[in-house]
């Protein structure tokens, strides 16, 4: 179990896009810690979601941090624009470009928390030499591109290995994909402390259910 603070980050990929601002307000009021913004380009991943204008348009609906996950390639040309649109942290994929260190430095230059994500088949060695340049390590526990997928069991060992690699560094260990109330406890025991959850929170898109679902995830992660 990690000693880092547990954070629940609802992914607005599963929100009702027709009332996105209201959905963000609802998860804010339901005690979300972060708002996870999944940006997809139809190139790096087989789906297209939204970009800077949409993010900027909904930024005023919450003061909670925007945890921005760029599933795009290349990412570097858009880092400054996402920072301006309201991102508080910006995570790029290790697989998305040849110069990961340069990408992280670009994020830091914007005054934002820098994160790096790795896909299920990518070894942790891909990020070992930038550990001291990041604030967040995101282990994908599904193949990125779509919400509603099932957690890949083999990634649990990777979370444990990532936790060991981080050691005492002040780095958040985030997981994204297939997180449910049934498996979040085991994932937390493996060392993760930030949990992205989409359909586990937004299923049915009924704001009256969000607070109870977030509370249940938090309780399962901490006990």
């Amino acid at each position: 179990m990690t000693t880092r603070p547990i954070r629940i980050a609802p992914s607005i990929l599963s929100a009702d896009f027709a009332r996105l601002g209201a959905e963000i307000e609802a998860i804010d009021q339901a005690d979300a810690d972060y708002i996870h913004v999944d940006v997809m380009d139809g190139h790096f991943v087989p789906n297209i979601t939204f970009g800077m204008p949409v993010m900027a348009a909904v930024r005023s609906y919450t003061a909670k941090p925007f945890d921005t996950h760029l599933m795009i390639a290349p990412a570097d040309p858009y880092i400054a624009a996402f920072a301006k649109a309201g991102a508080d942290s910006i995570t790029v994929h290790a697989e998305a470009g040849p110069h990961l260190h340069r990408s992280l430095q670009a994020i830091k230059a914007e005054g934002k928390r820098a994160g790096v994500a790795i896909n299920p088949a990518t070894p942790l060695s891909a990020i070992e030499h930038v550990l001291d340049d990041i604030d967040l390590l995101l282990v994908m526990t599904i193949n990125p591109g779509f919400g509603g997928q099932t957690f890949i069991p083999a990634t649990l060992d990777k979370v444990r290995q990532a936790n060991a690699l981080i050691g005492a560094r002040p780095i958040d260990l985030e997981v994204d994909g297939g997180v449910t109330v049934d498996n979040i406890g085991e994932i937390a025991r493996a060392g993760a402390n930030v949990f992205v959850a989409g359909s586990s929170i937004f299923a049915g898109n009924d704001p009256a259910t969000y607070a109870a679902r977030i509370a249940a995830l938090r309780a399962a992660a901490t006990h």
Side-chain angles (χ1 to χ4, degrees), residues 122-193:
T122 301
L124 284 164
S125 58
I127 57 90
E128 189 171 357
H129 297 295
V130 296
L131 271 178
D132 292 324
D133 300 290
I134 65 175
D135 303 292
L136 181 151
L137 172 57
L138 171 53
V139 175
M140 293 300 300
T141 46
I142 58 169
N143 290 298
F146 297 96
Q149 298 184 63
T150 301
F151 184 90
I152 298 173
T155 60
L156 193 62
D157 278 339
K158 187 187 246 185
V159 175
R160 293 190 187 99
Q161 292 163 9
N163 186 50
L165 187 62
I166 289 170
R169 294 178 178 88
I171 297 173
D172 283 323
L173 179 52
E174 184 172 44
V175 293
D176 183 354
V179 174
T180 69
V181 72
D182 295 319
N183 63 21
I184 193 172
E186 188 174 21
I187 302 168
R189 287 190 292 274
N193 72 295

Side-chain angles (χ1 to χ4, degrees), residues 16-90:
D16 181 350
F17 284 8
R19 51 187 184 89
L20 187 55
E23 289 273 70
I24 289 171
E25 281 184 325
I27 56 172
D28 180 333
Q29 294 165 11
D31 202 29
D33 296 297
Y34 302 151
I35 312 299
H36 190 77
V37 182
D38 285 310
V39 179
M40 304 180 185
D41 65 357
H43 168 68
F44 181 67
V45 293
N47 195 10
I48 299 173
T49 54
F50 35 68
M52 299 82 73
V54 171
M55 202 172 91
V58 298
R59 176 66 271 195
S60 63
Y61 285 87
T62 180
K64 299 283 176 70
F66 269 16
D67 177 31
T68 308
H69 179 191
L70 300 185
M71 287 170 273
I72 65 177
D76 290 13
Y78 302 98
I79 287 171
F82 276 105
K84 185 178 180 181
D88 294 282
S89 66
I90 299 176

